[in-house]
Amino acid sequence: MTIETIRLRDFRNYTALEIHPHPGVNLLFGQNGSGKTNLLEAIHYCALGRSHRTGMDREVVRKGAEMGACGVTVQRGDGRCEVSVKLTPGESRKKQVYIDRKRANRLSQLMGRVQCVIFSPEDLLLVREGPAVRRRYVDMLLSQLSPGYFVALQQYQKALEQRNAILREAKRTGSLSGSVLEAFEMAMAQPCEVIIPMRRRMIGRVAEIAGEKYNAISGRSGERFTMRYEACLDTDERIAQQVQERLRRGRQEDLLRGTTGFGIHREDVQLSLSGREMKLFASQGQIRTAALSMKLSQMEIFNKETGEAPILLLDDVMSELDMTRRTRLLQEIQHTQTFITCTDESDLEGCHERRSYRVSLGEEGQGCVSEIHEGEKVAAPMEEEPDFT
């Protein structure tokens, strides 16, 4: 999978931009705040329909503009595909997705069209922070591979929000309708039939590959990196019935809290190094290596499942790695189209098969991108490019 064209209009600090990246490594360097990460964010939008930095779509529309847009033309094994996302905060349909210039009716239609894996300093939170960060990692991985998983996750989340709203209202009024709760508990339970088995299988696969990647990057065969799925249920038998029963038994306690205490939204993935919980004992270097290993595992799984390598986005990561880990990382990604942001072009010294872009700010604060090093010649872009009108 290779991105041939990236196009932005009124996206973050870019008024208009079009670039044709290298099929291998693309280096985006410049001062902090110049707009390097914004380019990675645009690719992420085209893959998952959302930002990796904010949950507020209006934040990515350039200040003063009524509409922002980003789009990519990607070459896949089954042909060329165009994906674009329009963000219009002032309209009822604030976000619109287009696939090959046709508006998608559902966000699930976007999943899998452009597959990407992003690694940024915030991904260190995979180890440091709470369960929500690790669940999000698993959910983003599975959603790109399975639109059915994405739909099930949406259905569960919607039913959970409705059940919590009923609990809050009941806590306020002192009146709780068991029949109304039961309907939403059933709506929560059915998607779990899809979600729990898929999470269990996927985390097992990631754990196996991540352990190998950790040793390859760290060079320390004596350190054993492991991952364990802490599911809300012990077995995958009668999942819907088990979930409904647990929710029913927990109603009174949930009423006191005003929120749902049981479900897949409480699950976790435990990360350990040589049998010790990483969050408590791991060094900064070990945490970086573990997070990066999980991301590289995601890449390998995408490749095995689809027959294509995903797009890799590395946001301000190279400066955080020592020379040994940096060299081993470059070896791991040599057959993958990669976009790397950094402040200094020398961070990628020794990688010759690349295209370098300097990212800077114009006089009015707009993002400017100029090609510094062309790299190998790439295929000519399509005669017709997707528009955002």
Side-chain angles (χ1 to χ4, degrees):
M1 184 175 296
T2 305
I3 292 177
E4 295 182 342
T5 308
I6 302 173
R7 301 180 74 240
L8 308 181
R9 178 181 296 179
D10 291 326
F11 186 93
R12 289 290 188 180
N13 66 329
Y14 292 97
T15 53
L17 176 70
E18 178 177 319
I19 61 174
H20 305 288
H22 191 281
V25 174
N26 294 271
L27 180 65
L28 306 163
F29 70 95
Q31 294 181 352
N32 291 330
S34 56
K36 304 184 297 294
T37 300
N38 298 343
L39 290 163
L40 306 192
E41 185 177 28
I43 297 172
H44 197 276
Y45 255 106
C46 292
L48 286 152
R50 57 171 294 174
S51 167
H52 67 287
R53 296 194 287 177
T54 177
M56 308 290 286
D57 289 332
R58 64 173 177 267
E59 291 183 6
V60 307
V61 178
R62 189 175 64 84
K63 187 176 180 179
E66 295 182 356
M67 181 270 289
C70 57
V72 298
T73 302
V74 61
Q75 181 65 51
R76 299 160 43 101
D78 55 1
R80 185 178 277 116
C81 177
E82 297 177 10
V83 172
S84 58
V85 180
K86 292 175 65 174
L87 303 162
T88 315
E91 295 185 3
S92 57
R93 291 195 64 178
K94 296 179 174 61
K95 178 160 54 186
Q96 299 173 12
V97 174
Y98 292 81
I99 301 170
D100 291 329
R101 307 193 184 203
K102 296 180 181 179
R103 183 185 293 181
N105 296 321
R106 298 178 301 277
L107 188 58
S108 60
Q109 294 176 262
L110 175 65
M111 298 301 148
R113 303 283 180 166
V114 182
Q115 291 180 337
C116 78
V117 175
I118 186 165
F119 184 69
S120 66
E122 289 76 20
D123 284 313
L124 299 180
L125 301 179
L126 278 169
V127 180
R128 292 173 175 162
E129 292 297 316
V133 180
R134 292 181 285 278
R135 283 196 305 271
R136 184 170 179 265
Y137 161 80
V138 177
D139 289 340
M140 288 175 62
L141 193 166
L142 281 166
S143 292
Q144 291 189 74
L145 287 174
S146 171
Y149 180 90
F150 179 75
V151 170
L153 199 61
Q154 285 185 312
Q155 291 171 341
Y156 178 89
Q157 189 61 38
K158 183 176 181 180
L160 172 64
E161 291 171 357
Q162 291 169 324
R163 186 180 190 270
N164 283 342
I166 293 171
L167 289 171
R168 289 192 297 270
E169 180 65 15
K171 185 177 181 180
R172 185 183 67 83
T173 62
S175 174
L176 179 65
S177 170
S179 60
V180 175
L181 269 187
E182 186 173 0
F184 291 119
E185 289 165 357
M186 185 180 300
M188 289 174 63
Q190 289 302 322
C192 292
E193 294 273 5
V194 174
I195 295 168
I196 292 176
M198 291 187 71
R199 280 185 176 179
R200 196 183 303 277
R201 287 194 297 270
M202 184 55 68
I203 292 169
R205 292 182 65 188
V206 172
E208 182 179 356
I209 300 170
E212 297 171 356
K213 298 291 184 186
Y214 184 96
N215 289 337
I217 296 171
S218 69
R220 298 176 180 177
S221 58
E223 291 183 352
R224 188 168 62 91
F225 174 55
T226 58
M227 302 170 58
R228 183 170 61 85
Y229 177 37
E230 296 185 339
C232 63
L233 298 176
D234 295 330
T235 71
D236 289 350
E237 297 179 3
R238 300 173 54 255
I239 288 176
Q241 293 93 322
Q242 286 193 74
V243 171
Q244 279 186 265
E245 177 59 29
R246 291 285 295 273
L247 289 170
R248 189 180 302 113
R249 293 205 311 260
R251 284 178 185 174
Q252 289 305 313
E253 188 175 344
D254 289 347
L255 178 60
L256 293 174
R257 286 193 301 246
T259 189
T260 302
F262 169 84
I264 60 167
H265 62 289
R266 298 287 187 178
E267 293 184 330
D268 195 5
V269 181
Q270 187 184 79
L271 308 179
S272 301
L273 195 61
S274 300
R276 306 176 77 189
E277 187 177 351
M278 290 198 71
K279 183 177 180 179
L280 301 177
F281 298 102
S283 68
Q284 188 80 349
Q286 290 170 330
I287 289 173
R288 289 194 186 98
T289 304
L292 185 55
S293 298
M294 292 170 66
K295 294 292 183 170
L296 292 175
S297 302
Q298 185 177 350
M299 286 179 55
E300 187 167 319
I301 288 171
F302 279 153
N303 208 337
K304 289 180 177 178
E305 289 287 324
T306 66
E308 296 189 274
I311 311 301
L312 178 60
L313 312 176
L314 299 177
D315 188 15
D316 195 25
V317 170
M318 303 306 283
S319 61
E320 297 290 324
L321 301 175
D322 58 39
M323 187 56 68
T324 300
R325 285 180 169 84
R326 196 179 303 179
T327 301
R328 287 174 175 158
L329 173 60
L330 290 174
Q331 291 172 349
E332 289 278 347
I333 66 174
Q334 58 184 325
H335 301 299
T336 303
Q337 187 181 39
T338 305
F339 295 81
I340 301 176
T341 69
C342 60
T343 55
D344 192 337
E345 190 178 11
S346 65
D347 284 350
L348 226 64
E349 190 174 354
C351 178
H352 302 292
E353 303 303 325
R354 72 172 194 259
R355 180 162 294 172
S356 296
Y357 298 91
R358 177 180 287 115
V359 182
S360 58
L361 294 176
E363 292 181 359
E364 298 181 3
Q366 75 276 17
C368 301
V369 178
S370 54
E371 188 178 293
I372 302 301
H373 175 73
E374 183 178 357
E376 291 182 337
K377 187 177 180 181
V378 295
M382 296 169 52
E383 293 184 4
E384 287 188 88
E385 295 292 345
D387 58 45
F388 300 124
T389 57

